[in-house]
Amino acid sequence: MRFDYIAENLRARRAEIGSHPLSPDRVLGFTLIRGWVYLMFVGAAASSMTWTGEALPPVFYTVSTASLCAVLLASALAGSRFVQLMLHPAARLAGPVLTSGGTLLLASSVGESGAALMCGLLGALTTGIGSGIIDLGYGELYRNEPPARTTFEVPLAFFLAAVVFSLVIALPPTAGCVVCSLLPAISGWILFGREHAWSRKHRASVLPIDFDLKSFAWRIGVCACLVGVADGMVRAAFLSSNNLSMHMFLQWPLAGAGLLTMAIVYGAAILSSEQSARTIYKAAIFVMAFFFMLLPVFTGAQDMESVLALAGYGTFNVLIWMLLAEISYTYRLSSTEVFGIGWAMVTLGVLLGSIAGTIVDQFAPFTPQFLSLIALVATMAVLLSFLFVFRESDLIDLTEEPDGDNAGAIEKAAESPSSEGVVAVAGESGGDEGRRPRFHDRCLEVAAAFELSPKETEVMTLFAKGRSAARIQEELFISKGTVSTHLRHIYQKMDVHSKQELLDVIEDRDRK
């Protein structure tokens, strides 16, 4: 019976992805910028992208991370003004130019001379600013993509980015620096030249609405910081206990961790009854906690332990990106605000994790008991972050309610018993047998045009046919609150404010 359920889920996911073709350009572009991040800033003192092959001083990592956070937060606070700025080609060009140029400056920053220090600081500032613009650009792209497509593309891109890291890091220092500096340039060309992010050629699927930035930052920030600290502690303890260099730790296990992340995310997507990043996150967070608990067990099995130690970091980044994309897509929120706040908090969490790792490293060498304690603390931090994962009710509370008489229109229309008689307005009065399939087809066309989910399509069709919330609840075996939530999403995606407006949209489909 369970196999039948899995097979049905696989068919549903394949059909959903098939209705929204994947974009090789977008996957490649996102892969390259994530590969650049791995090469430059996967951790303090981890990058050796310098002309001599020496590691970058940790201060440059901190400065770049801080400037990245500043750009992300500033863009979120500026909101529509930032988007207006990005409509200018010169502003979009600044992203890849600053990132590539800053990479070359950082490559020249090794040494004790004043010139090397200036190159490093300038390179750290420009890479933080430039990569922030590129990250927000990909946030804008994925904000307009259905969650099923994001669920497939993002884990694949992160895995391919780890492969890019492993290949580039094996090159001679000079060649590695040149290739690394080209990655953001190519990614930016794909992002702005071929995918047209923020261009007038790229039409948003829905216009954003306002929401509570402070509450959003609090929830996503606590979640990101807890997991970031847990990951930093585990990584530092593992490196010290196994006497490994960062390069030995990262080069091939990072790709293995990316492959494991893909298995976790795809497996959770197939097994979950609801195609939702929040549902996948909740399943995967327990897998991450389990991996952290296993680390003391695999002491001595270096390759296996390296993959497990990195899997938490990679999986969390993938899940947060998917979660932010789904939130901004489903709830019609600004990608600049959602990714600006969300990704800034993730970046801050990684920085705090690096600091926590440095503190933990002071206690090396570790006893087996202390390693178990670190694993326990990391596991508890990851599980605690589970409490801050957004529920649908949390996300709805973040958005501002419509003004005036429309404030309760959705729920009122769904609750009205008299709505059973609205079918005639939709064109099904008289000759019910002959007209019902045609009306149903129009509903499916409208659902496809506005990219409604399968469950939203069912709710919309029944609602348009005159079913009340109670009847929809009975027919679909869902709760009253879930019916109201689906109707709210439908109204947002279709940009309508009453049942009559929804019916008008369906009738217009017939006239076309």
Side-chain angles (χ1 to χ4, degrees), residues 22 26 31 34 51 69 76 78-79 128 135 146 153-154 202 230 266 291 344 365 370 382 400 407 429 448 469 495:
L22 305 178
R26 187 171 54 242
T31 292
R34 300 321 305 168
W51 303 119
C69 282
D135 283 345
E153 288 187 6
V154 170
H202 187 270
Y266 291 163
F291 285 167
F370 191 64
V382 170
E400 293 184 356
S429 61
D495 197 21

Side-chain angles (χ1 to χ4, degrees), residues 208-232:
I209 59 176
D210 294 329
F211 67 105
D212 188 344
L213 276 175
K214 291 181 181 178
S215 298
F216 181 79
W218 162 250
R219 295 295 295 269
I220 203 76
V222 172
C223 182
C225 289
L226 283 170
V227 176
V229 169
D231 176 72

Side-chain angles (χ1 to χ4, degrees), residues 268 272-284 323 326 389:
S272 63
S273 58
E274 181 185 355
Q275 182 64 18
S276 165
R278 294 186 306 282
T279 305
I280 297 171
Y281 186 98
K282 291 174 182 178
L323 188 62
E326 183 190 75
V389 180

Side-chain angles (χ1 to χ4, degrees), residues 54-67:
E54 298 177 58
L56 287 172
V59 65
F60 299 147
Y61 165 82
T62 303
V63 171
S64 185
T65 303
S67 61

Side-chain angles (χ1 to χ4, degrees), residues 223-490:
C223 182
C225 289
L226 283 170
V227 176
V229 169
D231 176 72
M233 291 171 56
V234 167
R235 204 186 315 180
F238 174 72
L239 287 171
S240 298
S241 62
N242 289 277
N243 196 26
L244 289 175
S245 69
M246 185 63 80
H247 283 175
M248 289 178 62
F249 174 55
L250 293 172
Q251 185 169 9
W252 296 113
L254 188 62
L259 195 60
L260 186 57
T261 293
M262 286 178 62
I264 293 171
V265 174
Y266 291 163
I270 291 170
L271 295 175
S272 63
S273 58
E274 181 185 355
Q275 182 64 18
S276 165
R278 294 186 306 282
T279 305
I280 297 171
Y281 186 98
K282 291 174 182 178
I285 204 77
F286 286 101
V287 177
M288 292 168 60
F290 179 67
F291 285 167
F292 284 161
M293 287 298 295
L294 282 179
L295 283 172
V297 176
F298 283 101
T299 300
Q302 183 175 303
D303 292 338
M304 176 64 73
E305 201 171 12
S306 296
V307 170
L308 292 179
L310 286 166
Y313 167 80
T315 303
F316 177 71
N317 277 272
V318 168
L319 290 171
I320 285 292
W321 190 276
M322 290 167 49
L323 188 62
L324 296 177
E326 183 190 75
I327 288 172
S328 54
Y329 174 88
T330 303
Y331 297 92
R332 204 172 66 169
L333 305 180
S334 163
S335 66
T336 303
E337 295 175 353
V338 169
F339 282 89
I341 293 292
W343 206 241
M345 293 297 102
V346 171
T347 304
L348 180 61
V350 172
L351 180 60
L352 292 176
S354 176
I355 295 171
T358 302
I359 295 172
V360 167
D361 194 47
Q362 303 302 313
F363 295 92
F366 303 111
T367 62
Q369 291 82 3
F370 191 64
L371 275 175
S372 298
L373 178 62
I374 292 172
L376 177 62
V377 171
T379 303
M380 292 303 296
V382 170
L383 292 177
L384 186 60
S385 74
F386 178 83
L387 300 177
F388 292 87
V389 180
F390 290 101
R391 296 169 300 178
E392 278 196 319
S393 58
D394 298 324
L395 291 163
I396 291 174
D397 289 342
L398 289 177
T399 58
E400 293 184 356
E401 292 294 331
D403 295 327
D405 296 335
N406 288 331
I410 297 173
E411 192 163 344
K412 187 176 179 182
E415 289 298 318
S416 173
S418 62
S419 64
E420 293 287 349
V422 183
V423 182
V425 179
E428 288 202 32
S429 61
D432 190 63
E433 290 299 320
R435 291 177 178 264
R436 186 176 301 275
R438 188 159 59 87
F439 176 71
H440 182 72
D441 290 342
R442 292 203 305 273
C443 289
L444 294 180
E445 289 177 8
V446 168
F450 292 96
E451 298 186 330
L452 303 185
S453 71
K455 187 61 70 176
E456 289 167 352
T457 301
E458 288 183 283
V459 172
M460 182 202 70
T461 303
L462 291 173
F463 184 58
K465 289 179 177 179
R467 304 294 194 272
S468 67
R471 284 286 301 275
I472 295 173
Q473 179 183 345
E474 291 175 4
E475 290 189 37
L476 299 183
F477 303 102
I478 55 179
S479 69
K480 173 183 172 182
T482 303
V483 173
S484 298
T485 298
H486 283 310
L487 287 172
R488 180 179 175 84
H489 294 172
I490 292 165

